[in-house]
Amino acid sequence: MKTIYNPSEEKQSTELAVGTFIISTILFILYIISNGNPMILIIAWPFALGAIIVNAIMFLHLTDRFIHLPEHRRDIAVKLLILLSNIPILFFYYLVVMKS
């Protein structure tokens, strides 16, 4: 029996992108409010490393789906763009933290 892929049911990538954005934004705001308290970095760096790994795995998964499911490429491409939209935002956070 063939399984039918429904891209609207796959919401994990969007939830992951939004979740990592919210948590990293909270950590960034805490760091700024605390005037660069190094305790925040003790929490933030392991989270950032974990987020990079998990987001990379999701990126590879979506890329695989994009290649193998040509009829759903538009929906999968939107999910890929949502996932990739975190990169410039988090790069900005990184630059601000390193300059302070």
Side-chain angles (χ1 to χ4, degrees):
M1 178 177 242
K2 185 176 181 179
T3 303
I4 299 173
Y5 174 74
N6 186 356
S8 64
E9 292 178 0
E10 186 177 316
K11 299 178 182 176
Q12 296 90 356
S13 62
T14 305
E15 292 171 356
L16 176 66
V18 171
T20 55
F21 171 74
I22 289 171
I23 293 170
S24 58
T25 301
I26 290 170
L27 289 170
F28 176 70
I29 291 170
L30 286 173
Y31 182 79
I32 297 300
I33 290 173
S34 69
N35 292 323
N37 186 351
M39 287 301 292
I40 303 296
L41 291 179
I42 292 173
I43 297 168
W45 286 117
F47 169 77
L49 179 62
I52 289 169
I53 293 169
V54 172
N55 279 297
I57 292 169
M58 182 59 74
F59 177 79
L60 292 174
H61 168 72
L62 288 174
T63 304
D64 179 59
R65 294 271 185 191
F66 185 83
I67 292 168
H68 290 102
L69 299 170
E71 65 275 2
H72 298 289
R73 284 191 176 157
R74 182 182 172 107
D75 295 326
I76 297 168
V78 169
K79 292 175 190 289
L80 277 166
L81 289 174
I82 292 170
L83 189 67
L84 292 174
S85 69
N86 275 336
I87 294 172
I89 297 166
L90 297 177
F91 184 68
F92 170 73
Y93 290 170
Y94 174 78
L95 290 177
V96 171
V97 168
M98 289 299 119
K99 297 238 182 210
S100 63

